[in-house]
């Protein structure tokens, strides 16, 4: 009988991870427990994934508000600093903002609109049209913003982020001025010292600011790149990808030694199961919510570490295209056999630009698998920070 299951994604429960825990043993142990208790049968090219949170926790990669304040003060001078393009998030940015404000005398907070980089809206875009506001050119003060749009709150969180961020800055001992603009260079009318907090556009933003005459420009990826008074750090991403841990600390994105971790786990699983299993660390998946308009990817990358077998992009044929075009005159078992033969004859050459692959997902494997994992494990109380995937690399011919 033909196999019925295709791709299966399973969340595996694991202990609560603490600093210093051996993730190679824990992850391998969770797979073995699933084999013993749930009847899991490993296969070659299965994928084991672990959330970046447990990796960073095991690394002890935490920094405090005071650590952030020290680094910001040392790099940006401690006077008036333009903090531009932050995402609107209590989890992702609020504690970082407290540290930033504590390292300055005044913060000029410049928010992009109608939404932040990952889709959290300050205002409905239709209201901009109604009020005659051009988001590409218009720079608004807080007073002008309030007179136009009032006090709207975030669709899901119910938070007025303008008020929330302003209060955090004041409570941290700094003055605050809020402006709204989408051209990063607008901040230079207020200060020449800038901390740009955008994630995926950060390199372009820095280039524009420096060319326009900024004196000191740092991105979030350049804050906490080295240990401050014994703190954690991330040499590559700094504060990017951090999450709130407590009211005074954030957990950073995993450091680069997590690459060795995935390789060690792969080797351990091979010894235990006899199967070649791919391994990766995942953060935010890259997908968009159609209601709240939030694009989920607030981490700098979906996967900071993965084994070599996860390199590349899918190279798949579109079954619907084959059925409606190449084999439009066939049906039933004849159609099945024709499509299976077509897949079997497929070699490893790229199908990019070939009509028979149109409509297949043009994304990297790590981004696709990371999104699958993020949706499987969730971000709440499921308690499954390890995800086991089977059949991802199978196709219609596999029995």
């Amino acid at each position: 009988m033909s196999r019925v299951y295709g791709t299966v994604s399973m969340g595996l429960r694991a202990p609560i991870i603490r600093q210093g825990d051996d993730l190679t043993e824990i992850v391998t142990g969770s797979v073995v427990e699933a084999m013993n208790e749930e009847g899991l049968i490993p296969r070659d090219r299965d994928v084991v994934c672990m959330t970046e949170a447990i990796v960073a926790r095991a690394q002890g990669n935490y920094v405090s508000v005071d650590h952030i304040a020290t680094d910001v003060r040392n790099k940006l001078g401690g006077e008036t600093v333009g903090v531009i393009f932050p995402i609107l998030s209590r989890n992702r940015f609020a504690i970082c903002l407290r540290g930033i404000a504590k390292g300055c005398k005044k913060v000029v907070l410049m928010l992009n609109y109608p939404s932040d980089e990952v889709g959290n809206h300050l205002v409905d875009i239709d209201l901009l049209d109604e009020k005659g506001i051009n988001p590409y050119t218009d720079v608004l003060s807080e007073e002008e913003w309030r007179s136009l749009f009032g006090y709207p709150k975030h669709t899901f969180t119910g938070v007025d982020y303008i008020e929330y961020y302003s209060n955090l800055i004041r409570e941290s001992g700094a003055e605050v001025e809020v402006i709204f603009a989408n051209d990063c260079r607008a901040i230079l009318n207020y200060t020449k010292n800038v901390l740009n907090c955008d994630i995926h556009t950060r390199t372009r933003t820095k280039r524009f600011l420096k060319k326009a005459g900024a004196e000191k420009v740092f991105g979030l990826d350049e804050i906490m790149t080295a240990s401050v008074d014994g703190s954690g750090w991330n040499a590559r991403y700094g504060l990017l990808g951090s999450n709130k841990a407590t009211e005074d600390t954030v957990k950073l994105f995993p450091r680069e030694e997590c690459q060795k971790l995935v390789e060690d786990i792969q080797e351990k699983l091979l010894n235990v199961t006899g199967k070649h299993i791919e391994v990766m660390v995942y953060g935010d998946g890259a997908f968009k919510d159609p209601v709240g308009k939030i694009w989920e990817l607030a981490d700098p990358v979906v996967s900071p570490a993965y084994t070599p077998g996860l390199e590349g992009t899918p190279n798949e044929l579109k079954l619907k295209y084959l059925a409606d075009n190449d084999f439009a005159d066939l049906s039933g078992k004849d159609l099945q056999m024709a499509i299976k033969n077509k897949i079997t004859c497929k070699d490893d050459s790229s199908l990019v630009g070939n009509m028979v692959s149109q409509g297949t997902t043009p994304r990297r494997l790590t981004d696709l698998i990371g999104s699958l994992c993020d949706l499987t494990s969730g971000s709440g109380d499921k308690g499954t920070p390890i995800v086991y995937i089977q059949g991802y690399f199978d196709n219609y011919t596999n029995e």
Side-chain angles (χ1 to χ4, degrees):
M1 180 178 179
S2 297
R3 199 173 84 204
V4 175
Y5 286 151
T7 298
V8 178
S9 179
M10 299 168 276
L12 302 186
R13 292 179 178 173
I16 304 299
I17 305 300
R18 297 291 191 186
Q19 181 175 349
D21 284 352
D22 186 339
L23 282 184
T24 301
E25 292 297 329
I26 290 172
V27 172
T28 304
S30 294
V31 173
V32 170
E33 187 172 2
M35 293 166 61
N36 294 335
E37 299 297 327
E38 306 291 350
L40 174 67
I41 302 174
R43 307 188 194 114
D44 287 323
R45 297 222 75 189
D46 287 353
V47 188
V48 172
C49 310
M50 72 209 89
T51 177
E52 59 82 22
I54 65 171
V55 179
R57 287 174 65 85
Q59 290 176 344
N61 206 14
Y62 295 86
V63 301
S64 71
V65 164
D66 288 336
H67 294 138
I68 297 170
T70 297
D71 208 27
V72 168
R73 191 180 302 112
N74 289 342
K75 289 174 177 173
L76 286 151
E79 297 295 325
T80 299
V81 175
V83 176
I84 71 171
F85 301 160
I87 63 172
L88 307 176
S89 173
R90 294 167 295 177
N91 174 47
R92 289 289 192 170
F93 190 69
I95 307 304
C96 293
L97 181 59
R98 287 186 57 204
I100 293 164
K102 199 169 182 180
C104 310
K105 286 186 179 178
K106 180 178 179 179
V107 170
V108 181
L109 181 66
M110 191 170 92
L111 302 175
N112 39 355
Y113 71 96
S115 68
D116 68 9
E117 181 182 4
V118 297
N120 292 294
H121 275 68
L122 281 171
V123 66
D124 192 306
I125 193 169
D126 291 332
L127 277 178
L128 299 183
D129 300 335
E130 181 182 314
K131 301 291 184 179
I133 299 299
N134 184 341
Y136 299 102
T137 59
D138 291 345
V139 179
L140 304 174
S141 67
E142 183 175 1
E143 183 179 1
E144 290 170 327
W145 180 273
R146 293 302 193 187
S147 68
L148 287 164
F149 306 117
Y151 295 78
K153 296 183 178 181
H154 189 278
T155 303
F156 288 143
T157 66
V159 173
D160 179 337
Y161 279 95
I162 302 166
E163 180 181 58
Y164 178 58
Y165 279 180
S166 296
N167 288 339
L168 280 179
I169 293 168
R170 293 188 189 98
E171 290 166 4
S172 299
E175 297 178 49
V176 60
E177 180 176 1
V178 182
I179 61 173
F180 304 84
N182 290 309
D183 186 335
C184 62
R185 294 164 292 195
I187 195 65
L188 300 180
N189 293 320
Y190 301 82
T191 178
K192 303 296 184 185
N193 300 325
V194 185
L195 176 62
N196 65 292
C197 303
D198 46 338
I199 305 162
H200 307 290
T201 55
R202 61 188 184 275
T203 301
R204 182 172 185 264
T205 298
K206 291 175 196 175
R207 184 176 72 248
F208 274 34
L209 288 168
K210 290 175 181 177
K211 187 175 181 180
E215 294 175 2
K216 295 179 181 178
V217 181
F218 289 86
L220 277 188
D221 60 325
E222 297 171 295
I223 305 298
M224 300 308 306
T225 53
S227 181
V228 174
D229 299 328
S231 73
W233 75 93
N234 191 306
R236 184 173 186 181
Y237 295 120
L239 284 175
L240 286 183
S242 61
N243 291 87
K244 177 179 179 180
T246 70
E247 294 301 324
D248 297 298
T249 59
V250 294
K251 175 199 63 60
L252 300 181
F253 211 49
R255 292 193 294 268
E256 290 183 349
E257 58 258 39
C258 62
Q259 181 60 40
K260 184 177 184 304
L261 173 66
V262 297
E263 293 165 1
D264 288 347
I265 292 173
Q266 184 178 59
E267 182 178 358
K268 183 84 171 177
L269 286 169
L270 178 61
N271 292 336
V272 170
T273 68
K275 302 298 181 181
H276 185 86
I277 296 172
E278 305 296 344
V279 183
M280 69 178 276
V281 178
Y282 68 94
D284 274 348
F287 47 82
K288 186 172 182 177
D289 168 47
V291 177
K293 312 301 183 188
I294 300 168
W295 182 48
E296 178 71 8
L297 187 56
D299 286 325
V301 291
V302 173
S303 177
Y306 51 87
T307 48
L310 297 177
E311 279 284 358
T313 57
N315 201 44
E316 301 172 343
L317 302 176
K318 192 73 170 180
L319 298 192
K320 291 186 292 186
Y321 183 88
L322 293 173
D324 291 342
N325 291 272
D326 295 36
F327 308 121
D329 58 334
L330 300 179
S331 62
K333 289 188 176 181
D334 290 338
L335 176 60
Q336 290 179 348
M337 288 305 301
I339 288 178
K340 285 185 177 182
N341 288 335
K342 186 77 170 181
I343 294 172
T344 301
C345 292
K346 178 181 69 173
D347 57 27
D348 291 331
S349 60
S350 175
L351 292 171
V352 172
N354 191 318
M355 288 296 286
V356 79
S357 68
Q358 70 171 339
T360 58
T361 309
R363 287 165 57 186
R364 294 184 303 180
L365 289 168
T366 51
D367 294 341
L368 291 163
I369 295 170
S371 297
L372 174 60
C373 290
D374 193 20
L375 289 168
T376 300
S377 63
S379 58
D381 58 7
K382 288 186 172 65
T384 55
I386 301 165
V387 176
Y388 196 95
I389 300 170
Q390 290 195 306
Y392 192 85
F393 296 101
D394 290 354
N395 59 45
Y396 195 50
T397 68
N398 293 107
E399 300 294 339

